[in-house]
Amino acid sequence: MSDNVLEIKGLSKSFAKNKVLNGINLSVKKGSVMGLMGENGAGKSTMMKCLFGIYAKDEGQISLNGRPIDFKTPKEALENGVAMVHQELNQCLDRTVIDNLFLGRYPTRFGVVDEMKMSREASKLFASLKMNVNTHAVMRTMSVSQRQMVEIAKAVSYNAKIIVLDEPTSSLTEPEVNKLFSIVNELKQKGVSFVYISHKMDEIFQICDEVSVLRDGNMVLTSPVKETNMDKLISAMVGRSLDKRFPDVDNTPGKDYLEIRNLSTKYEPHLQEISFTVKKGEIFGLYGLVGAGRSELLESIFGIRTIATGDIVLDGKKLRFNSSKDAMSYNFALVTEERKFNGMFGKGTIEFNTTITNLDSYKTAGILSERKMQDAANREIKRMHTKCTSPDELITALSGGNQQKVIIGKWMEREPNVFLLDEPTRGIDVGAKYEIYQLIIQMAKEGKTIIVVSSEMPEILGITNRIAVMSNHRLAGIVNTKETNQEELLRLSDKYL
């Protein structure tokens, strides 16, 4: 008898004329972790959504413990021991942790929801996972990383035989990543299997037993992790070798251009007297643990958060932005951390999302020109190498990484002088990351001033000129990238904890 808990044979799936999966075969052993890699749009999430009952497959067979399955809904998948933690969280943000855990399966007593049992079971679940979570907290008040851990706990609560984790660490701090890996290893010992989708190579080698690579809808590699290496995986993913992960940072920063003076914010979380200067044509990194205040700092500079004290000085001129519109009028741009909630219009097309911030540029005699808007969308699709069928495609039909490309392209259309990038390569494959790094460096060489937030330490060390480290909403220090290392960045990030 096979020891495979999951077997996928000959799986194919098309959307209109676009064949996303082409005869895919995949096997996952009981109590193991199968890593799943591939470029954005390669078909990873589509394959898992076919398993989970979100999409109906066109061809092929899926078996669970030797029994053919064809789930019609995610609820049916969950009831049969298949759980999935999606890259883009879809939670009831105005309800509590407990409500989100038991959504769709509330226990009742005498016809009434048994809230005591819910509270008891939730506390027991988090205790078993060694997670410190306020089960009565409203989800909206929690950080992205905390909400991610709640979603992982929810998957575990279904006593699943197989759990799909789609980019599970994209919003987690290093301690939370270690906690997740500890949970995965404990569940493996109990016979639970995982499909682990990630673009982070080091995680694949750290947590996975086997790894499979999709490219353009075809399975091009399946191997035990111990029998492969990073170069082989990259070559399988992109169809070519990448000699190095980061391009040469060969820009030459000029004069002081953007100065932040003693900036503090009015509302929680309070930033405290942040001061630094960024040069024209410089790539300035912002590092720190999740919750240190990095995103809040970018939002304050961009006019989204209210500044209590301090000044923003651009090329010697004091500015005060009361809204993002004010910031945009001075050629500031901001790629936000959470693209789904505040980075894109989910019901809009690629063209709409590309042109929405720059409509005045596409007018002829005061009337919007459809031709100019299509030209702009096609220009950014080509520049960003976005995988799509046409500019008329809904942005939600794209993979997460390709959605991010559209968002970056939207701001590129405005040709910003100051570009604020909050986790710009989150959920993006290694090949596309390299292209974005090249784009950032090229913009700096053209004299653009760039501030990049990243949780990935190799990235922040690989593409910046200087790095400011945040700790507990304060600036802990600024270092020259070529003269620092991971240990110093970690030490500074702990300075005010």
Side-chain angles (χ1 to χ4, degrees):
M1 183 177 176
S2 173
D3 61 349
N4 293 328
V5 64
L6 174 68
E7 290 193 29
I8 297 175
K9 295 181 179 178
L11 179 65
S12 296
K13 176 64 180 177
S14 297
F15 295 100
K17 296 180 180 179
N18 183 24
K19 193 158 192 176
V20 181
L21 298 174
N22 183 26
I24 297 298
N25 296 314
L26 180 75
S27 298
V28 181
K29 295 181 175 64
K30 183 177 181 179
S32 72
V33 181
M34 168 62 79
L36 187 58
M37 304 194 75
E39 289 190 283
N40 298 119
K44 307 181 299 296
S45 295
T46 298
M47 178 168 63
M48 292 300 102
K49 287 176 179 178
C50 289
L51 164 66
F52 198 55
I54 297 174
Y55 295 154
K57 64 183 185 297
D58 297 335
E59 300 173 355
Q61 179 177 297
I62 303 175
S63 298
L64 191 65
N65 288 323
R67 177 174 60 88
I69 57 171
D70 189 12
F71 301 135
K72 304 301 181 185
T73 64
K75 186 174 185 292
E76 187 180 353
L78 286 165
E79 290 171 346
N80 283 272
V82 177
M84 184 172 179
V85 178
H86 298 270
Q87 179 182 355
E88 303 287 356
L89 299 178
N90 189 17
Q91 298 167 317
C92 298
L93 296 183
D94 293 315
R95 305 301 299 177
T96 65
V97 171
I98 291 175
D99 286 330
N100 276 268
L101 282 177
F102 289 93
L103 194 65
R105 49 173 181 157
Y106 287 117
T108 58
R109 189 166 182 254
F110 305 124
V112 179
V113 173
D114 191 344
E115 294 189 7
M116 290 291 290
K117 182 176 181 180
M118 288 165 57
S119 180
R120 193 167 54 248
E121 291 295 321
S123 297
K124 182 179 177 182
L125 170 66
F126 287 113
S128 69
L129 297 174
K130 299 181 178 65
M131 290 185 188
N132 184 21
V133 175
N134 178 3
T135 58
H136 296 285
V138 174
M139 297 294 287
R140 191 178 296 280
T141 65
M142 303 171 72
S143 68
V144 179
S145 63
Q146 289 171 326
R147 300 205 316 262
Q148 180 81 295
M149 295 303 282
V150 170
E151 199 68 10
I152 291 166
K154 181 178 179 179
V156 172
S157 74
Y158 277 91
N159 295 318
K161 303 180 186 71
I162 186 160
I163 299 175
V164 179
L165 300 175
D166 192 353
E167 298 286 352
T169 65
S170 61
S171 301
L172 302 187
T173 64
E174 186 172 347
E176 287 168 331
V177 171
N178 293 333
K179 170 60 67 178
L180 171 63
F181 287 176
S182 175
I183 292 170
V184 169
N185 285 323
E186 286 183 20
L187 291 173
K188 278 176 58 179
Q189 299 303 314
K190 298 177 182 178
V192 179
S193 303
F194 292 85
V195 176
Y196 192 92
I197 302 174
S198 180
H199 291 303
K200 298 181 179 180
M201 297 277 182
D202 53 339
E203 292 182 0
I204 294 295
F205 288 100
Q206 187 176 349
I207 194 65
C208 298
D209 300 294
E210 293 184 278
V211 59
S212 292
V213 177
L214 276 170
R215 186 172 74 236
D216 297 328
N218 296 282
M219 191 68 78
V220 296
L221 173 71
T222 296
S223 169
V225 167
K226 293 179 180 178
E227 296 177 13
T228 189
N229 56 47
M230 191 175 295
D231 290 338
K232 288 180 181 178
L233 291 183
I234 292 173
S235 180
M237 285 173 62
V238 303
R240 65 188 190 280
S241 62
L242 281 180
D243 296 330
K244 51 186 179 180
R245 293 178 64 183
F246 304 101
D248 293 330
V249 183
D250 55 357
N251 60 309
T252 303
K255 66 175 184 177
D256 291 348
Y257 186 64
L258 174 67
E259 185 179 359
I260 307 301
R261 296 179 183 169
N262 300 315
L263 186 148
S264 299
T265 51
K266 188 172 183 179
Y267 302 108
E268 291 187 1
H270 297 294
L271 298 178
Q272 301 179 48
E273 298 185 339
I274 307 293
S275 296
F276 60 87
T277 301
V278 188
K279 300 179 184 298
K280 195 173 183 65
E282 181 177 24
I283 306 170
F284 189 79
L286 269 183
Y287 183 74
L289 302 177
V290 173
R294 303 166 307 169
S295 297
E296 290 83 359
L297 177 55
L298 292 194
E299 290 171 357
S300 300
I301 295 172
F302 198 63
I304 296 175
R305 290 181 178 267
T306 303
I307 295 174
T309 60
D311 295 304
I312 298 172
V313 182
L314 184 68
D315 202 17
K317 181 180 179 180
K318 285 187 180 181
L319 305 175
R320 178 57 66 95
F321 301 145
N322 295 314
S323 67
S324 56
K325 184 178 180 181
D326 291 344
M328 290 166 63
S329 70
Y330 281 89
N331 281 337
F332 280 64
L334 170 64
V335 172
T336 58
E337 179 183 14
E338 295 188 67
R339 58 176 170 261
K340 181 178 179 181
F341 292 103
N342 52 22
M344 68 185 197
F345 292 87
K347 294 183 179 180
T349 62
I350 295 171
E351 178 187 306
F352 180 89
N353 277 276
T354 300
T355 58
I356 189 61
T357 61
N358 205 30
L359 292 178
D360 287 342
S361 298
Y362 312 124
K363 289 181 179 179
T364 299
I367 300 173
L368 278 174
S369 167
E370 180 61 30
R371 181 187 60 79
K372 287 184 177 181
M373 294 170 72
Q374 284 192 343
D375 287 348
N378 282 316
R379 180 165 56 245
E380 295 307 328
I381 288 170
K382 183 178 180 180
R383 173 162 36 189
M384 301 303 299
H385 301 109
T386 306
K387 289 186 178 180
C388 62
T389 55
S390 79
D392 297 325
E393 191 173 2
L394 287 176
I395 192 169
T396 49
L398 305 182
S399 66
N402 281 299
Q403 290 173 2
Q404 187 78 331
K405 290 181 179 181
V406 174
I407 292 167
I408 294 174
K410 166 185 69 178
W411 291 112
M412 293 294 294
E413 278 294 296
R414 290 188 61 86
E415 299 182 355
N417 290 329
V418 179
F419 210 161
L420 312 175
L421 299 164
D422 196 350
E423 302 284 5
T425 65
R426 174 171 290 169
I428 291 181
D429 64 78
V430 64
K433 279 185 178 183
Y434 195 89
E435 292 169 357
I436 290 176
Y437 299 151
Q438 288 179 312
L439 185 66
I440 290 171
I441 294 167
Q442 183 58 39
M443 285 193 295
K445 291 167 77 170
E446 293 170 0
K448 312 296 185 185
T449 297
I450 300 167
I451 301 179
V452 182
V453 168
S454 178
S455 297
E456 296 186 34
M457 199 175 291
E459 179 173 87
I460 207 78
L461 289 167
I463 62 164
T464 60
N465 303 117
R466 289 186 298 150
I467 303 168
V469 181
M470 299 284 291
S471 177
N472 196 23
H473 310 113
R474 299 166 69 180
L475 183 62
I478 299 175
V479 295
N480 291 318
T481 303
K482 291 182 178 180
E483 298 170 2
T484 192
N485 53 43
Q486 296 191 17
E487 290 73 19
E488 184 174 20
L489 296 186
L490 286 172
R491 178 179 58 79
L492 287 170
S493 66
D494 287 337
K495 185 174 181 179
Y496 296 118
L497 296 183

